[in-house]
Amino acid sequence: MRTAVDVIRRIVSANNLPFLSFDVYQPKGWHDGTIKHFKDEKKPGQRRNPKNAVEHSGPSGPVTLRHEQILEDDLNQIMTDLPADSALQVISPTILDTKVVHIPMLDIELPPNEENLSYLISCLRALGEKEGAILLSGASYHYYGYNLMTPDQWQKFMYKSLLLDEVVDTRWIGHRLLDGIALLRITPKSGYDFSPYVVAEI
């Protein structure tokens, strides 16, 4: 079974990326398991508290690992040493040949089943994605593209993804555009005792 870490290592190795950054965070609802997703913060038909709805915070303290640290044991050690209430997420931008590039990432809202997976592949191809991995994240999917993007290409990709509002997590995209970076979890979290793992490739 190939995990999110395997996907990240493939991207780093294939593109000879000098480094990537990671962030330790506390997923919402970790302690009591009540909130597994942004959409669970309100009941159907209920309006969000506007102040809470626009609340935003970026990465708490990114850790940057060099190429060899990611491919060897340093990344494994960081995951092993995570506090019990925390998870590790990878951050999309890095530097290649003195230029900023992004790993394309998407947080998907479709429940996992064969029909939705097939539809998701069609959606990713409609976005122009030619190579990438779809991972089961728990209640839905994560996506990593294998072809790196410039900041302008990444921004256009994110905005265009918003048009697939029944497929992607639009609030996640809003947060990511505010930060100018994408982040996806690569370790287990409450309710899911597994790391996101690959279920399909395009």
Side-chain angles (χ1 to χ4, degrees):
M1 180 174 66
R2 294 171 54 228
T3 67
V5 174
D6 296 320
V7 171
I8 294 303
R9 284 176 168 150
R10 168 180 170 163
I11 293 170
V12 167
S13 179
N15 294 282
N16 198 27
L17 296 179
F19 66 86
L20 271 182
S21 295
F22 301 82
D23 183 62
V24 177
Y25 77 111
Q26 287 188 327
K28 288 188 176 183
W30 180 285
H31 296 291
D32 58 13
T34 55
I35 298 176
K36 291 185 169 62
H37 208 276
F38 290 131
K39 63 185 178 184
D40 295 331
E41 292 176 348
K42 66 181 183 69
K43 297 176 181 178
Q46 179 186 20
R47 289 183 173 177
R48 295 181 187 277
N49 177 299
K51 185 177 179 180
N52 294 340
V54 300
E55 183 180 357
H56 172 79
S57 60
S60 57
V63 175
T64 298
L65 296 182
R66 299 187 309 275
H67 179 102
E68 61 273 15
Q69 291 178 301
I70 296 169
L71 298 185
E72 296 174 4
D73 291 334
D74 296 65
L75 179 55
N76 292 341
Q77 192 61 52
I78 288 175
M79 293 188 293
T80 299
D81 293 342
L82 282 174
D85 60 350
S86 299
L88 189 70
Q89 52 192 352
V90 62
I91 302 176
S92 67
T94 184
I95 302 292
L96 183 62
D97 297 331
T98 72
K99 296 180 180 179
V100 176
V101 292
H102 286 262
I103 301 169
M105 303 178 188
L106 285 177
D107 192 9
I108 309 300
E109 280 200 330
L110 294 173
N113 60 53
E114 287 300 317
E115 181 180 353
N116 284 343
L117 182 57
S118 177
Y119 182 60
L120 174 57
I121 291 172
S122 297
C123 291
L124 291 167
R125 288 176 174 155
L127 287 173
E129 287 298 285
K130 294 179 171 59
E131 292 183 295
I134 299 169
L135 292 82
L136 181 67
S137 61
S140 189
Y141 300 105
H142 289 167
Y143 173 73
Y144 294 87
Y146 290 150
N147 298 314
L148 304 178
M149 296 180 173
T150 67
D152 285 346
Q153 290 171 331
W154 175 80
Q155 190 175 70
K156 183 176 180 180
F157 169 75
M158 296 294 276
Y159 279 121
K160 197 173 181 180
S161 299
L162 284 172
L163 302 177
L164 297 168
D165 59 338
E166 296 179 345
V167 175
V168 301
D169 182 342
T170 55
R171 284 182 54 79
W172 178 86
I173 293 178
H175 283 292
R176 302 292 62 85
L177 287 169
L178 283 170
D179 280 337
I181 61 175
L183 310 106
L184 282 178
R185 177 176 57 85
I186 63 173
T187 57
K189 73 171 184 177
S190 180
Y192 306 115
D193 59 352
F194 60 88
S195 297
Y197 63 89
V198 177
V199 292
E201 289 188 298
I202 61 170

